[in-house]
Amino acid sequence: SPQSCVIDTLINGKIQAAIDSKVHSILAKRRLICTTAFSRGANAYCPSGYLATGCACGMACGSWDIRGDATCHCQCANIDWTSARCCKVAIVG
Amino acid sequence: SPQSCVIDTLINGKIQAAIDSKVHSILAKRRLICTTAFSRGANAYCPSGYLATGCACGMACGSWDIRGDATCHCQCANIDWTSARCCKVAIVG
Amino acid sequence: SPQSCVIDTLINGKIQAAIDSKVHSILAKRRLICTTAFSRGANAYCPSGYLATGCACGMACGSWDIRGDATCHCQCANIDWTSARCCKVAIVG
């Protein structure tokens, strides 16, 4: 009936407007967050919740691999340090 | 009129509460997902939908570049293997 | 009262449906975006809003560190170039 249509449209309009503003404000707070995990020796471990996105090694070594999604392992001999770059998506602020 | 105000407030309240809980539950599922693409030779290719965030090379080589957003290319001579670290934001679970 | 229950259920149903479709469509647009910042010398700087996820260096050097979340620094001697892989989460399209 015409009357219920009006209410329908009214509610739909309210819902869309509320969702738009809310979703964008929450989404804007979800960012990429990164940190670095440095360690002596040939392995470096990202903090819980983070994933390794890249690794650096001592001895100018560019040969590394990532184990278990969050551990950097440097493969050259006599590696003195390893550094993991660790990132995640989380709410900021 | 006072009566329509009451309905307004009621509907607005419902909408906000529903959005809050829904948006946070959906957002919480959107995470950073990473994988590694290993390959013989001087190039490694991320799976479709992923972007390269870092590269590792054989021969201790740390000189690399990323081509087309998802391909790691190791620049040193006689590179025996290349590994791409590949990430994306996607819904998990 | 039964009557207000009907309105309640109607409004809740509308809200859930609207939120589902809206949130998923907005979320789908929020992606991981990456770019590369290349520079002569031992430092490369990510554009504003991006974070460094990994670094490459000239001279086959795999020893680098990230400073201030968005600057790649290559540690070997006589570094001729540095490249930063830079990413962020943003709305695409």
Side-chain angles (χ1 to χ4, degrees):
Chain A
S1 74
Q3 210 212 1
S4 81
C5 260
V6 166
I7 295 179
D8 241 27
T9 322
L10 178 115
I11 293 175
N12 284 340
K14 276 186 171 302
I15 291 172
Q16 289 308 338
I19 291 174
D20 271 353
S21 74
K22 191 80 188 179
V23 168
H24 282 286
S25 70
I26 292 176
L27 270 185
K29 288 186 201 151
R30 263 184 91 78
R31 301 253 187 81
L32 184 70
I33 298 173
C34 297
T35 186
T36 296
F38 177 90
S39 173
R40 289 284 147 213
N43 295 287
Y45 309 90
C46 288
S48 168
Y50 285 82
L51 299 180
T53 59
C55 310
C57 309
M59 316 295 283
C61 175
S63 299
W64 46 265
D65 55 282
I66 292 173
R67 302 175 171 184
D69 241 359
T71 298
C72 279
H73 171 71
C74 292
Q75 300 179 357
C76 303
N78 311 315
I79 292 288
D80 47 353
W81 60 265
T82 301
S83 170
R85 186 57 171 169
C86 313
C87 297
K88 67 176 180 181
V89 170
I91 293 186
V92 177
Chain B
S1 74
Q3 214 213 354
S4 83
C5 258
V6 167
I7 295 181
D8 240 27
T9 322
L10 180 113
I11 293 176
N12 284 340
K14 277 189 168 300
I15 291 173
Q16 289 308 339
I19 291 174
D20 271 355
S21 76
K22 191 78 188 183
V23 168
H24 282 287
S25 72
I26 292 177
L27 271 185
K29 290 185 199 152
R30 263 184 90 76
R31 300 252 187 81
L32 183 70
I33 299 174
C34 296
T35 187
T36 296
F38 178 90
S39 175
R40 289 284 148 213
N43 295 289
Y45 309 91
C46 288
S48 168
Y50 285 82
L51 299 180
T53 59
C55 310
C57 309
M59 316 296 281
C61 174
S63 298
W64 47 263
D65 56 280
I66 292 174
R67 301 177 172 183
D69 242 359
T71 299
C72 279
H73 172 72
C74 291
Q75 299 179 358
C76 303
N78 310 316
I79 290 288
D80 49 354
W81 61 264
T82 301
S83 172
R85 186 59 170 168
C86 313
C87 298
K88 67 177 179 180
V89 170
I91 293 186
V92 177
Chain C
S1 75
Q3 211 211 358
S4 80
C5 259
V6 168
I7 295 180
D8 243 25
T9 324
L10 179 115
I11 293 173
N12 285 341
K14 277 187 170 300
I15 291 171
Q16 291 308 339
I19 291 174
D20 272 352
S21 74
K22 191 80 186 183
V23 168
H24 283 288
S25 70
I26 292 176
L27 271 185
K29 289 187 200 149
R30 259 183 94 77
R31 301 250 187 81
L32 183 69
I33 298 174
C34 297
T35 187
T36 297
F38 177 90
S39 174
R40 289 286 149 212
N43 295 289
Y45 309 91
C46 289
S48 169
Y50 286 82
L51 298 181
T53 59
C55 310
C57 307
M59 316 295 281
C61 174
S63 299
W64 46 263
D65 56 283
I66 292 173
R67 300 177 173 184
D69 242 359
T71 298
C72 278
H73 172 72
C74 291
Q75 299 178 357
C76 303
N78 310 316
I79 292 288
D80 48 353
W81 61 264
T82 301
S83 171
R85 186 57 170 170
C86 312
C87 298
K88 67 176 180 180
V89 169
I91 293 187
V92 178

